[in-house]
């Protein structure tokens, strides 16, 4: 049994802070449990009460004469730590802290929350604080206000930091046929966080889809690893909010989470195959899609429209979402010509039936021809189904009878059954006035008829294609198989760590110079122009002779970071005379411009031939840890910000994808007769950098700029590593 | 009286093709007119009928013993021309052709449509073919099926090519409080097109907003001019579909329109201030917004949320749409602190009330504090208003009473009245099952209460901020004042035309060489490196001496377009020897590589000093005519496609905006210590190019590449003009 099971299927619950007032959180929670027919024992606890909802109120959890599986704490924030200590004493292993007034409300709250987290570490798992609890039909527990939630279980799991969203999302989705395995509102996540819940739900056999509403993440690294490790096994829907400036600030006052940077979240979705939700409707729409079509679907679409305008709108939405409206074969079009009217229709994809009221016979013929057609993975039908009332409103005397309607509704169900191809339906609201409410009722009935046959129904084309794109993406990820981080040979790793440790020991500054930075990189197999340090003119010439001309020379001094600005760099030095002169000039310039600088010498290195200048960098994201950046080098690219990111460690697919993600990618492939560069080599190099970063948490930032790429290989020409402040301090002590 | 008035307020209507069968289009149209209480006389016409809906059927329109204001034609396509000729004979000045089977259905249909268009030019205005007609409550006419449409008039006008969309959009919008001045479904637009209707509606006093659904445009240039000429006077909403590949194909089968290119439509919106609609919901949402707030609104938002999650979602949506969640002053926050609970709330913007059920007193205090706060232009309230049923479902025993609800609903109405600041409300569906239909009914009642007080209500934050962004954009355009194309001096223009005419007369090819292209450009005051043509070594040296060193030399031959590829270009020639040698080498290379080429000579021109390389180009869009392009020059930019477009002629604002639209714009401003370029000079240059293009319809394409820009001025280094095929043919005859 997993320790989180107690939150969803507890044998007994103590509600602490359940006063006699029925509007209190505790009493409402008990009422909700009673309403949903919770089957275990409920105990009420309050310092000063006698009875609530027919239950005796104990003064303390310690007075309850039996074991408690789950404590639900609804007392004022400042009382929470003491209550939890009593729970610990009582041997309770799981507690939901609903109370607010913690990290989200300032300093004192943060202190209290830290205290709660410490107590949790002593043997009680805590969900919350500042949450609404859990809903699990199987265990007959529910959130507040969830007494009226369905007792019927389903296969969708949902986690949300926000209590209100846990209630709002589930509440909205029931009417659309969604039933849940488990829902958790986990609030400030001081103990149980999104990663714990994701891990739990990914293993949970009752849950076939995991959806989430995240303001921030507490353990991004682990959330990322779990998501990636399960890519393709279950759809993971992530609605990440708080990425805007004010959104992040609002999130911080709401649950105190830091919102991750947009680019890193982009990487998260690329790397894990998790499906990004843009909002509430999209989240529920996508749940509906996966409930009906749990395997996902292919990209090839045929659209059947009752009327021409919808073909245009549908085609636009299809392309915008990356689905493909596939051309029909001549044979398919010929067959369609046999059944469609000659005027006012279209037999190309998207098909225009001519008007919105086809006979069942016509619709059946069209769907069967299309379903049998090659390259069509999914059939979308729009503006074909209407209730009798709408039909008589729109068509007048020629309107559909009840029997006609029933026959028509059956057609897509039969087609799907016979051809095994998914069908999705656009069923719009027609009139939206108060007086039209019956039309909406009828619309919902038609919708539910299709839902019962696993045919997803949406009010608009945009929604249909948004969901189809998610279904198709999931299918692709599923077929792709597991995603595992690339592994590098152990030897390089241990040598690399040794070199870094030695450098850390010697270094008095966090910014490593080019020589030291490259020394570490070299151990990881990164091809680079190796600098030789020269402390005299003769030594410089000797170094150049050893390296081979032309060479580049640069000043080496911890005090001089912008070397070019003070005349500390010379390039294209072609002979001993050049080198000798350059040594004199560089050292003189340094002495003149930065008199206080301690000059360690001049670095001499091979001058790399011209090629395509790239940049590889790394920094640390507060939520996900080390992140690798790739892009084109040079000023123009800085302006255009044409870079892409991946969370470390990378898989081989990540290395391939990050390179192809930048807009300037055609340059790498060889644009306008320019030679292509060695893309495979760069992929390999990115994996080496990823390994180096993964091995050495002491590295805070890093960049190779430029990395010059050629038709054959690439070479790191300049490089820098910056260490964590703490590393230097610790070793300096 | 405008000639289009007849389509909306006809005194008498003849319905031609009205058979006895009540399901026929003609009979349905008559029924719709009767249903909407059309007040004029209706006459039915059919070759073979006796009576329909109590009306005598005439055999021909010529038999009707009175004048006919509007003919509505519903006969088979091939009969339409004859019917229209009869209408002409009868003296009818306006006809709606509802029949399909024209341009949208192939060659024969296109021929028929051309015939219809020719008849129209003889004195009868035609709407259609392939349309549903017009709806105008004032004139008591309606589209099919629009018999049940409201008789109440409003101030919204709507035009749609698609008949179905005219019905679908209006039908959906009535329930949301929209009432119309005029609606036209204009189909294939063989005579009356989008530009005619826009012109008419922009002058129509009854219409305060004009909305449109466009698949393509027939007279893009005029539509553009009318839209720009009226910028800021009335909101113009444009839902342009068919911009995707398959969408364009579908549009073409639907109404036969060519869909415009995406980039040119981007320019259209930038230049006209028309408001781009992304779909049906957005269109209706925006109509609702302008109905309630016809002046638009400012950008500063305060959000008041019942619960924390919504503050995050709202802040995200706000930023995504370019609205601004403004920080409150310390004083405002202090005042809010006095009324908000200390825990679980936020007094920063967005405000979290703590829970979704504030007292009227609390909400009133908060709204008044916020409305009085500086920088706040609009108040958004979310998840605060619920029906009694929802409230008791969510809150249980503490739920709102009917009186409480009424008091609460009054609060935003009072605030808006007292402070004159717009209030917008998010009112979501809570439960969506068939059994929850009463909740939706109650929701609509609350919505309509607010609508009645000109408070827009939407189901989601995304919708609210999308509409607010449109309202704010309109207000900005309105304040900006009229947009008029820049005017150039007449002299340049007539000299330029003379030079071009002369060149056209002499030219045997459409591609003008650099010398001739620059000759035309020079007349328009475009600064350029002027090439001198040399036909001997001595002449080349003399030219170089005249120009001053260094110079560039290029082969001049109509057969050689890629001059560099064959060694036909030399740069950096610094003295007579260089020039002399270059002449020999260039001519030799041409003779060897392109022996068939007729070499006119070698052009010698000043070598421009290095600067920022830009490109200015022009091509013709099939819908909007000449379009100007601006971007950064060079290979990298080609790959990144960092260019922007404007429809010609440009206003000065256009010239400013196109430069600032490219992503690389920071380079022009001087990035990282690089010098800034002379942006004003480039603006002026773009206006000169725009004038040149406007003057000379013979120019099919043009480019200046590169235009080298400096801190002071810019110079066109290479240039080419391509003439229309027809120009050369015509002058060659």
């Amino acid at each position: 049994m997993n320790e989180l099971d107690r939150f969803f299927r507890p044998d007994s619950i103590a509600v602490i802070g359940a006063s006699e007032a029925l509007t209190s959180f505790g009493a409402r929670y008990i009422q909700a449990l009673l309403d949903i027919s919770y089957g275990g024992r409920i105990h009420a606890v309050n310092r000063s009460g006698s009875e609530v909802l027919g239950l005796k109120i104990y003064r303390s959890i310690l007075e309850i004469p039996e074991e408690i599986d789950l404590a639900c704490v609804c007392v004022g924030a400042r009382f929470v730590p003491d209550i939890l200590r009593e729970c610990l004493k009582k041997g309770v292993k799981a507690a939901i802290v609903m109370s607010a007034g913690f990290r989200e409300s300032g300093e004192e709250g943060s202190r209290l929350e830290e205290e709660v987290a410490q107590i949790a570490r002593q043997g009680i798992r805590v969900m919350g604080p500042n949450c609404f609890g859990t809903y699990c039909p199987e265990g007959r527990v529910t959130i507040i206000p969830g007494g009226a939630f369905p007792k019927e279980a389903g296969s969708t799991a949902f986690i949300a930091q926000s209590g209100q969203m846990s209630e709002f999302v589930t509440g909205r989705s029931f009417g659309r046929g969604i039933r849940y395995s488990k829902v958790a509102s986990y609030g400030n996540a001081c103990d149980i966080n999104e990663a714990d819940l994701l891990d739990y739900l990914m293993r949970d056999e009752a849950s076939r889809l995991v959806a989430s509403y995240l303001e921030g993440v507490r353990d991004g690294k682990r959330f990322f690893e779990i998501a990636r490790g399960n890519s393709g096994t279950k759809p993971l829907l992530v609605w990440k909010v708080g990425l805007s400036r004010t959104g992040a600030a609002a999130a911080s006052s709401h649950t105190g989470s830091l919102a991750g940077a947009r680019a890193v979240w982009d990487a998260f979705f690329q790397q894990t195959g998790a499906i990004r939700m843009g909002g509430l409707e999209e989240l529920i729409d996508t749940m509906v899609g996966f409930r009906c079509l749990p395997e996902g679907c292919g990209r090839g679409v045929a659209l059947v429209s009752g009327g021409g305008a919808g073909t245009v709108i549908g085609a636009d939405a299809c392309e915008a979402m990356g689905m493909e409206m596939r051309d029909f074969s001549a044979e398919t079009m010929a067959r369609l010509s046999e059944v469609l009217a000659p005027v006012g229709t279209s037999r190309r994809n998207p098909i225009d039936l001519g008007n919105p009221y086809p006979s069942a016979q016509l619709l059946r013929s069209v769907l069967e021809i299309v379903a049998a057609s090659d390259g069509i993975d999914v059939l979308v039908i729009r503006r074909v189904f209407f209730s009798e009332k709408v039909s008589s409103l729109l068509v007048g005397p020629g309107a559909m009878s009840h029997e006609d309607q029933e026959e028509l509704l059956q057609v897509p169900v039969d087609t799907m059954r016979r051809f095994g191809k998914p069908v999705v339906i656009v069923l719009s609201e027609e009139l939206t006035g108060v007086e039209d409410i019956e039309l909406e009722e009828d619309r919902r009935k038609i919708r539910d008829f299709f839902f019962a046959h696993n045919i997803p129904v949406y009010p608009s084309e945009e929604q249909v294609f948004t969901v189809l794109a998610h279904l198709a993406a999931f299918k692709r990820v599923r077929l792709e198989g597991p995603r595992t981080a690339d592994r590098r040979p152990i030897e390089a790793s241990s040598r690399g760590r040794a070199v870094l440790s030695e450098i850390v020991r010697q270094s008095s500054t966090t910014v490593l110079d080019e020589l030291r930075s490259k020394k570490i990189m070299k151990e990881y197999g990164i091809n680079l122009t190796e600098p030789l340090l020269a402390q005299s003119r003769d030594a410089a010439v000797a170094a150049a002779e050893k390296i081979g001309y032309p060479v580049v020379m640069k000043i080496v001094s911890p005090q001089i970071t912008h070397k070019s600005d003070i005349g500390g760099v010379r390039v294209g030095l072609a002979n001993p005379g050049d080198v000798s002169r350059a040594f004199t000039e560089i050292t003189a310039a340094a002495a003149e411009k930065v008199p206080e600088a301690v000059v360690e010498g001049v670095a001499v290195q091979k001058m790399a031939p011209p090629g395509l200048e790239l940049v590889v960098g790394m920094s640390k994201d507060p939520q996900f840890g080390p992140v690798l950046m790739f892009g084109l080098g040079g000023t123009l690219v800085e302006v255009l910000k044409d870079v892409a990111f991946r969370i470390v460690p990378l898989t081989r697919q990540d290395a391939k994808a990050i390179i192809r993600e930048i807009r300037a990618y055609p340059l790498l492939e060889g644009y306008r007769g320019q030679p292509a560069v060695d893309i495979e080599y760069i992929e390999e190099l990115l994996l080496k950098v990823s390994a180096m970063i993964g091995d050495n948490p002491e590295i805070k930032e890093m960049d190779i700029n430029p990395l010059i790429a050629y038709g054959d290989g690439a070479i790191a020409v300049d490089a820098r590593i910056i260490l964590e402040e703490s590393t230097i301090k610790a070793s300096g002590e």
Side-chain angles (χ1 to χ4, degrees), chain A residues 250-320:
Chain A
S252 137
S253 90
H254 184 222
T255 69
S257 294
L258 265 176
R262 209 176 289 268
V264 181
W265 276 98
D266 289 346
F268 172 88
F269 287 104
Q270 291 285 349
Q271 292 181 266
T272 59
I275 304 172
R276 185 200 298 251
M277 299 288 106
L280 178 69
E281 283 308 318
E282 185 175 348
L283 179 64
I284 296 175
D285 287 348
T286 309
M287 287 178 174
V288 170
F290 279 107
R291 189 194 67 71
C292 296
L293 307 168
E295 307 286 297
C297 70
R299 301 216 155 256
V301 174
L303 174 67
V304 178
S305 170
T311 60
V312 191
I313 297 168
D316 280 4
C318 179
E319 183 177 297

Side-chain angles (χ1 to χ4, degrees), chain A residues 319-335:
Chain A
E319 183 177 297
M321 302 304 164
M323 295 294 285
E324 292 162 18
M325 196 71 74
R326 297 257 166 89
D327 289 339
F328 292 144
S329 66
E331 193 203 326
T332 297
M333 286 201 281
R335 293 187 62 198

Side-chain angles (χ1 to χ4, degrees), chain A residues 278-595:
Chain A
L280 178 69
E281 283 308 318
E282 185 175 348
L283 179 64
I284 296 175
D285 287 348
T286 309
M287 287 178 174
V288 170
F290 279 107
R291 189 194 67 71
C292 296
L293 307 168
E295 307 286 297
C297 70
R299 301 216 155 256
V301 174
L303 174 67
V304 178
S305 170
T311 60
V312 191
I313 297 168
D316 280 4
C318 179
E319 183 177 297
M321 302 304 164
M323 295 294 285
E324 292 162 18
M325 196 71 74
R326 297 257 166 89
D327 289 339
F328 292 144
S329 66
E331 193 203 326
T332 297
M333 286 201 281
R335 293 187 62 198
L336 286 168
S337 294
E338 285 167 23
V339 297
L340 289 169
V343 163
T345 62
S346 167
R347 64 232 58 227
R348 280 181 305 191
N349 193 12
I351 293 172
D352 178 3
L353 297 175
N355 71 55
Y357 324 100
S359 68
Q361 183 49 46
L362 171 61
L363 185 64
R364 191 178 299 275
S365 305
V366 169
L367 292 190
E368 289 185 356
I369 293 166
V370 172
S373 172
D374 279 350
I376 302 304
D377 301 310
V378 54
L379 279 66
V380 178
I381 309 175
R382 77 169 281 285
R383 215 164 151 76
V384 162
F385 305 102
F386 300 90
S387 68
E388 291 161 69
K389 287 186 201 98
V390 169
S391 168
S392 87
L393 209 67
L394 297 185
V395 192
M400 210 163 33
S401 71
H402 182 70
E403 291 67 35
D404 287 351
Q405 193 204 21
E406 294 220 319
E407 201 188 337
L408 193 66
L409 292 180
Q410 194 58 40
V411 175
V413 176
D414 294 346
T415 309
M416 187 156 117
R417 195 169 294 151
R418 190 167 148 204
F419 292 86
K421 284 192 182 168
V423 176
V424 182
I425 288 172
V426 183
L427 189 69
S428 308
E429 292 179 41
E430 295 287 330
L431 300 175
T432 55
V434 172
E435 65 284 6
D436 309 311
I437 197 76
E438 282 185 18
L439 304 183
E440 173 61 12
E441 189 174 4
D442 288 349
R443 195 189 71 84
R444 292 184 186 182
K445 284 180 185 159
I446 297 175
R447 173 197 71 179
D448 291 353
F449 168 81
F450 287 125
F451 279 169
H453 291 93
N454 289 331
I455 293 179
V457 177
Y458 302 100
S460 74
E461 289 76 12
E462 290 82 359
Q463 286 167 283
V464 164
F465 287 102
T466 301
V467 173
L468 284 177
H470 292 325
L471 291 169
F474 175 69
K475 183 168 184 179
R476 214 177 43 225
V477 169
R478 194 164 53 81
L479 294 176
E480 204 182 75
R483 300 180 173 195
T484 44
D486 183 72
R487 301 258 169 259
R488 301 275 105 192
I490 302 286
E491 319 85 73
S493 164
S494 61
R495 281 200 317 271
R497 282 216 46 75
V499 169
L500 181 115
S501 301
E502 182 58 27
I503 287 172
V504 165
R505 201 162 43 241
Q506 291 169 359
S507 187
S508 60
T509 158
T510 55
V511 182
L512 300 186
D513 59 39
E514 186 178 347
L515 274 87
R516 293 182 177 85
S517 300
K518 283 185 169 173
K519 206 165 175 183
I520 298 166
M521 291 179 183
K522 192 185 172 192
E523 294 303 329
Y524 285 92
I526 295 164
N527 187 30
L528 41 80
T529 52
E530 201 176 346
L532 299 180
L533 186 67
Q535 285 164 331
S536 68
R537 268 184 306 193
D538 290 349
V541 172
E545 295 282 332
K546 189 174 163 197
I547 291 165
Y549 296 100
V551 296
V552 173
M553 291 172 64
K554 303 181 199 173
I555 190 83
V556 178
S557 162
Q559 286 78 33
I560 303 173
T561 39
H562 297 289
K563 298 184 278 266
S564 300
D565 296 357
I566 62 124
V569 179
R570 292 294 154 98
V571 302
L573 309 169
N575 53 53
D578 283 358
V579 169
S580 182
R581 206 159 31 247
F583 186 93
T584 310
E585 287 169 6
I586 286 175
T587 47
E592 189 200 325
K593 302 271 178 58
V594 196

Side-chain angles (χ1 to χ4, degrees), chain A residues 53-74:
Chain A
L53 293 163
L55 298 173
K56 172 192 168 172
I57 298 183
Y58 294 94
R59 301 247 153 207
S60 154
I61 193 169
L62 295 170
E63 290 181 7
I64 301 174
E66 66 158 345
E67 274 191 25
I68 297 298
D69 228 22
L70 173 67
C72 175
V73 182
C74 319

Side-chain angles (χ1 to χ4, degrees), chain A residues 25-241:
Chain A
F25 238 67
R28 285 179 61 202
Y29 184 60
I30 293 174
Q31 186 63 59
L33 291 175
L34 294 173
D35 288 346
I36 205 163
S37 312
Y38 173 65
R41 287 164 310 283
I42 309 173
H43 301 282
V45 179
N46 196 322
R47 298 272 177 229
S48 61
S50 56
E51 204 184 274
V52 59
L53 293 163
L55 298 173
K56 172 192 168 172
I57 298 183
Y58 294 94
R59 301 247 153 207
S60 154
I61 193 169
L62 295 170
E63 290 181 7
I64 301 174
E66 66 158 345
E67 274 191 25
I68 297 298
D69 228 22
L70 173 67
C72 175
V73 182
C74 319
V75 300
R78 66 203 162 99
F79 305 114
V80 169
D82 282 344
I83 295 290
L84 286 176
R85 282 190 200 97
E86 286 189 13
C87 289
L88 259 182
K89 195 181 284 179
K90 175 74 182 167
V92 178
K93 296 266 180 293
I96 296 173
V97 179
M98 295 193 171
S99 327
F102 289 87
R103 189 163 50 115
E104 78 284 3
S105 67
E107 237 171 79
E108 171 60 12
S110 293
R111 202 199 51 72
L112 274 172
E113 187 166 321
E114 186 40 46
E115 200 176 338
V116 169
Q118 275 169 5
I119 297 168
R121 287 193 281 274
Q122 293 165 40
I124 182 169
R125 296 305 308 259
V126 173
M127 187 171 294
N130 190 18
C131 75
F132 280 11
T134 56
Y135 164 54
C136 175
E138 196 198 340
R140 290 288 159 88
V141 292
T142 194
I143 60 172
I144 296 179
F149 279 9
K151 299 185 177 77
E152 181 194 349
S155 57
T156 300
F158 177 54
I159 61 172
Q161 272 172 286
S162 153
Q164 191 176 97
M165 290 313 291
S166 68
E167 168 252 314
F168 195 35
V169 170
T170 49
R172 276 282 275 284
S173 67
F174 294 133
R176 303 196 40 211
I178 300 301
R179 293 295 177 273
Y180 290 87
S181 51
K182 291 168 182 75
V183 173
S185 130
Y186 64 93
N188 292 7
C190 85
D191 175 31
I192 295 172
N193 62 32
E194 68 291 329
D196 298 313
L197 287 164
L198 182 65
D199 187 37
Y200 176 70
L201 294 169
M202 279 295 179
R203 299 160 192 253
D204 178 36
E205 284 181 14
S207 302
R208 285 201 309 187
L209 172 144
V210 182
S212 57
Y213 167 88
L214 304 177
E215 288 174 357
V217 290
R218 295 300 291 260
D219 191 351
K221 188 82 190 152
R222 202 170 136 237
F223 189 71
F224 167 73
E225 295 291 2
I226 296 165
R228 180 161 73 177
N230 287 282
S231 74
T233 59
K234 296 178 185 183
L236 169 60
L237 316 186
V238 177
W239 179 16
K240 171 71 184 89
V241 299

